[in-house]
């Protein structure tokens, strides 16, 4: 430390106290402010100041941790987290990412009619209602399609209400009645020979 002024010794002591164990418990904002203060002190102290290297390592660590978080590499980011607030930030970012993925997959499976898979992804009552509405809309759309084409056998598989069964029987004639009777018998709703 040859050639340092009294002010430079003071800055070096400040840097040592900044990087002490007490700092590891500081909040992320406090840590950022300390890094900036150290960077300023190091730049004033000249190139031979070891605090500048430490500041650069710290800045690189934080920047790389932020990069890993932005790339979704949470395990590696957690390895770089040193303070409780940094660890919490990584955990929170991963949870937000997982939630975003869940919602994206829920929208995808709902839009493509993969309702059983979508059911595994619903969490809130609102999501359950929205999925049920989508399923019902999809069912009615296909029921109407088969009814328009006079494809009563496939329409019957989609029927869910008494009015829908009645329409199929009415429009499907004797074949429709027999098909409905078989389905109702298989479900145990009428006895054999009930039609």
């Amino acid at each position: 430390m040859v050639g340092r002024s009294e002010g430079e010794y003071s800055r070096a002591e400040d840097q040592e106290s900044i990087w002490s164990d007490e700092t590891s418990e500081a909040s992320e904002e406090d840590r950022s402010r300390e890094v900036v203060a150290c960077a300023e002190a190091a730049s004033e102290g000249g190139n031979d100041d070891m605090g500048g290297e430490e500041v650069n390592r710290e800045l690189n660590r934080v920047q790389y941790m932020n990069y890993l978080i932005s790339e979704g590499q949470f395990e590696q980011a957690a390895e770089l987290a040193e303070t409780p607030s940094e660890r919490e930030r990584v955990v929170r970012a991963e949870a937000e990412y997982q939630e975003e993925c869940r919602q994206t997959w829920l929208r995808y499976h709902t839009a493509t009619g993969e309702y059983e898979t979508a059911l595994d992804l619903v969490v809130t009552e609102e999501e359950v209602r929205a999925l049920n509405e989508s399923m019902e809309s999809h069912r009615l759309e296909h029921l109407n399609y088969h009814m328009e084409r006079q494809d009563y056998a496939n329409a019957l598989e989609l029927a869910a209400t008494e009015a829908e069964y009645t329409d199929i029987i009415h429009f499907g004639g004797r074949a429709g009645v027999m098909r409905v009777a078989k389905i109702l018998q298989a479900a145990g709703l009428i006895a054999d020979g009930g039609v």
Side-chain angles (χ1 to χ4, degrees):
M1 293 197 179
V2 176
R4 287 194 175 183
S5 68
E6 195 171 300
E8 289 172 328
Y9 283 115
S10 174
R11 279 195 300 272
E13 289 171 2
D14 289 343
Q15 289 171 352
E16 288 174 18
S17 69
I18 287 173
W19 301 112
S20 69
D21 290 335
E22 296 172 11
T23 304
S24 66
E25 300 299 320
S27 73
E28 190 171 325
E29 288 179 17
D30 291 341
R31 183 87 166 183
S32 296
R33 281 193 289 270
E34 291 169 354
V35 168
V36 169
C38 282
E40 289 172 354
S43 67
E44 292 172 7
N47 291 339
D48 64 339
D49 190 346
M50 290 302 288
E53 288 179 28
E54 214 172 303
V55 169
N56 285 337
R57 277 194 298 274
E58 178 66 6
L59 288 173
N60 289 337
R61 181 191 67 79
V62 171
Q63 285 177 336
Y64 190 57
M65 183 184 72
N66 290 338
Y67 168 77
L68 291 171
I69 289 171
S70 72
E71 292 296 311
Q73 298 178 16
F74 302 107
E75 191 173 311
Q76 293 92 338
E79 291 173 6
L80 291 176
E82 292 181 356
T83 66
S85 62
E86 287 175 347
R87 287 186 285 278
E88 182 182 318
R89 181 169 168 252
V90 172
V91 168
R92 189 174 52 248
E94 184 173 15
E96 289 169 0
Y97 175 77
Q98 293 296 331
E99 176 63 10
E100 183 180 322
C101 289
R102 182 192 68 80
Q103 290 178 3
T104 299
W105 281 111
L106 175 59
R107 285 190 300 273
Y108 170 79
H109 291 299
T110 301
T112 58
E114 299 172 11
Y115 296 117
E116 288 191 27
T117 305
L119 279 170
D120 292 336
L121 296 170
V122 296
V123 174
T124 67
E125 289 297 319
E126 183 180 321
E127 290 173 344
V128 170
R129 273 192 302 279
L131 183 60
N132 285 335
E133 289 172 8
S134 178
M135 289 170 33
E136 180 63 8
S137 173
H138 182 79
R139 184 189 71 80
L140 290 174
E141 181 182 323
H142 283 82
L143 175 66
N144 291 332
Y145 171 82
H146 292 300
M147 290 296 287
E148 288 172 6
R149 300 228 179 267
Q150 298 178 354
D151 180 2
Y152 301 114
N154 283 322
L156 188 57
E157 290 180 17
L158 295 168
T161 67
E162 186 178 327
E164 292 167 352
Y165 284 117
T166 302
D167 284 347
I168 293 169
I169 291 169
H170 175 72
F171 292 111
R174 178 90 177 127
V177 170
M178 296 307 292
R179 181 94 167 122
V180 169
K182 285 182 183 178
I183 290 174
L184 295 176
Q185 285 171 355
L189 299 175
I190 61 171
D192 287 343
V195 176

